Amino acid sequence: MSRTALRICPLCEATCGLVLTVEGTAVTAARGDRDDVFSRGFVCPKGASFGAVDSDPDRLRAPLVRRDGELREATWEEAFDAVAAGVRPVVERYGPHAVGVVLGNPNVHTVAGALYPNVLLGALGTRSLFTASTLDQMPKHVSSGLLFGNANAIPVPDLDRTDHLLLIGANPLESNGSLCTAPDFPGRLKALKARGGTLTVVDPRRTRTAKLADRHVAIRPGADALLLAAMAHVLYAEDLVDLGALAPHVTGVGEVEAAVRDFTPEAVAAACDVDADVTRALARELAAAPTAAVYGRIGSCTVPHGTLASWLVDVLNILTGNLDRPGGALFPQAATDRTPRPAGPGRGFALGRWHSRVSGHPEAKGELPLSALAEEIDTVTDAGEPVRALLTIAANPVLSAPDGDRLDKALDSLDFMVSVDPYLNETSRHAHVVLPPPPPAQSPHHDFAFNTLAVRNQVRYTRPAVPLEPGRTAETEILARLTLAVGGMHGTDPAAVDAMVIEQTLTTSVREPHSPVHGRDPGELTALLTGENGPERRLDLMLRLGPYGDGFGARPDGLTLERLLAHPHGIDLGPLRPRLPQPLKTRSGKVELLPGPIAADLPRLRQALAEAGRPAGLVLVGRRHLRSNNSWMHNIPALTGGSNRCTVHLHPEDAARLGVDEGQPVRVKGAGGAVTAPAEITDTVRPGVVSLPHGWGHDRPGVRQTHAATDPGVNVNQLLDGSLLDPLSGNAVLNGVPVTLTPLTGAQL
Ligand SMILES: Nc1nc2c(c(=O)[nH]1)N[C@H]1C(S)=C(S)[C@@H](COP(=O)(O)OP(=O)(O)OC[C@H]3O[C@@H](n4cnc5c(=O)[nH]c(N)nc54)[C@H](O)[C@@H]3O)O[C@H]1N2
Ligand SMILES: Nc1nc2c(c(=O)[nH]1)N[C@H]1C(S)=C(S)[C@@H](COP(=O)(O)OP(=O)(O)OC[C@H]3O[C@@H](n4cnc5c(=O)[nH]c(N)nc54)[C@H](O)[C@@H]3O)O[C@H]1N2
Ligand code: SF4
Ligand SMILES: [Mo]
């Protein structure tokens, strides 16, 4: 007997609604949910393989605990006993900062990852926090923090209504979009063109997205900040600056004019390898479009001037009056956002409140650079204790972060390590305790993170499609118990964690004059919460206190968990709406267009300009494949093979110059090491650029990913030594990295 169940896909940021076919407890098929209010039936090959991802036989079924050097299956009680016994002595002897926490990408795709890490960090009190954000979008957080006073206020391009999209360093036809949640991103780009809009793509590779564009600018990697600064220059020089309705909310417009004065299209042309005429045309088109949005992603963030480029993306949106207006770039309003407080000055955004111990990197958003994790473990200084114990939650930094070999050794030297991960992989193989979450069909889903980045306001929740298998522990409970075990409360009922969060949230809310529950009794409100378990009650709480919520009766038509459950395909909350000045939390209460730390970083960009034009060798960029996902999806046969391979893309001119044949193994060498992979000669990369995908290199001993090991690929991040960072954000430089390439012949293989 088969049945169907709804499940929001957790495999990328597009958050498509799926209809799963379930036979017994197995998911045997998955298709797009045509009734989903947001995704309307869209599905990609990864979502269609949900069943295979879910039932991968290599997924761990029980916790593993290291005994006599070997990882063996254990009970959950034994596992959490071991966690408490391993972590607490490190806290007590060396202090909380000696316990590091690494949060990886899948945390933004799970209910557990949204609800528990902050509580865990609070219970531990550590400053040694490292996340995938510093391999990804930290520059955008820092730029938003500085411009808007709120690191999480990220403007999202209004894909469905814009007339002109300038897309920089993003390839949504493979990635399905990022910091812009839009199921069927490809279809939405085609719709933009069909309604007469224009698409411009800036990318050193002629990607599938670039092929769709009206104009493709094959920029030299790492040069986007220069191009964007020159575009801003043109807007000022040609009197095209027009803030429109934004004007009363923005300060520093004149200061930015002075700041970009040197960056003329002619001055940046050689460094970007973009003709001055093209740069002028890009600026004029942006200004002339009835509405337009500038959108930058991985290729604009993971570069030496990532924060400047991210800032300039919004500067251009602001100077052309496109921020916060329909068709431009707007701030979404998610159903679980906190009750919007009245507009007015806020506390602003601080950077560098503390620094990393070894290299003195400033914290950003409470995090230290993941690139610095290895040195924080393996280097002794007199500036404090090294990281001696580590918790990795949904993270595989041995493959995802620079210099995996060094990190691999560093992890081996830890006193104690815990991994919350479904696989025994390159990172978790070092753990003393591995706590495996259940597969996604057995987990609930709500997009706490991505609804704040979605091109349409909407809310959806799916309960587990399949009941928890006997012997499994929900990931929410795993993280609650982990919190208690590392926080010195081992053995306490994990429900206490949720009860505590609910009590704290309500106690604060009833004191806030703008809250719909101002002045009410927290105990009475707690009794009104519904939900089958703690995480559901917390979701109910957030929905009810949120911008669309029922306010516990204050707005009787408003959202509650019950109402959401009655709409299994979701509730549409309408298109993005202008919200300024409410989201601003700067000290001035305005958009601060030229924040101090940005102004202080501009000389470095001028320096880069002065140094450009020197004969440059090859530089490396990354790429993504539709059927892959970072480091953990190479174990699914249906999603590997074909064009999804770990090869070195290089341009025919470079291949000819270096004497490389198609398919020939080539050795690519960078500051952190060398890797060998087959060459794939293609003119989709610009000359001077080679491309390797990340997340490969599944050939280390002790890894239990059988299929991935049959075609392991190589770890591109071994080419990096971890020293190249965007200084303001601590983000790793993963693109535009200098490398050399040598073809290998028989004897050298
Ligand atoms: N060279 C280069 N390197 C890059 C990038 C690049 O473009 N180029 N991209 C960077 C980016 S953007 C990111 S986000 C990072 C990603 O790097 P990571 O943060 O390491 O993320 P993933 O590789 O996606 O997965 C990490 C782990 O999560 C586990 N996992 C999967 N599902 C779940 C779950 O439901 N619960 C738990 N607890 N664990 C789960 C997987 O088994 C895997 O071990 O990589 C970065 N590294
Ligand atoms: N299929 C699939 N989907 C994914 C993922 C995946 O691994 N596979 N990962 C998910 C994650 S964690 C993220 S963060 C998102 C990322 O989503 P995207 O940002 O869309 O990621 P990419 O496909 O890597 O696209 C980045 C593009 O930047 C280009 N680029 C490199 N250097 C530069 C440069 O200096 N300037 C410019 N202008 N462009 C440059 C690259 O050639 C590449 O085409 O994708 C998510 N979705
Ligand atoms: S686009 Fe992303 S969310 Fe949609 S089905 Fe594919 S992997 Fe899942
Ligand atoms: Mo990412």
Side-chain angles (χ1 to χ4, degrees), residues 414-425:
L414 288 165
D415 290 357
F416 198 74
M417 177 172 160
V418 182
S419 289
V420 183
D421 206 286
Y423 288 107
L424 201 56
N425 64 14

Side-chain angles (χ1 to χ4, degrees), residues 103-106 110 132 135-136 298 393-397 400-401 420-423 425 437 475 622 624 629-632 694 716-717 720 734-735:
L103 302 175
N105 172 274
T110 63
L135 306 173
D136 187 346
I298 282 289
I393 306 177
N396 191 6
S400 310
V420 183
D421 206 286
Y423 288 107
N425 64 14
E475 186 161 13
R624 282 175 162 75
N629 185 35
N630 297 329
S631 76
W632 68 279
H694 71 284
V716 64
N717 286 325
L720 310 175
L734 305 171
N735 282 292

Side-chain angles (χ1 to χ4, degrees), residues 53-54 56-64 76 106-107 110 392-396 419-425 428 434-440 443 472 475 478 632 635 704-705:
V53 173
D54 197 71
D56 182 351
D58 283 334
R59 278 182 183 267
L60 302 173
R61 291 174 170 273
L64 304 177
W76 288 98
N107 281 300
T110 63
T392 67
I393 306 177
N396 191 6
S419 289
V420 183
D421 206 286
Y423 288 107
L424 201 56
N425 64 14
S428 61
V434 184
L435 304 168
S443 307
R472 290 278 190 187
E475 186 161 13
I478 293 175
W632 68 279
N635 207 47
R704 207 178 296 164
Q705 287 190 308

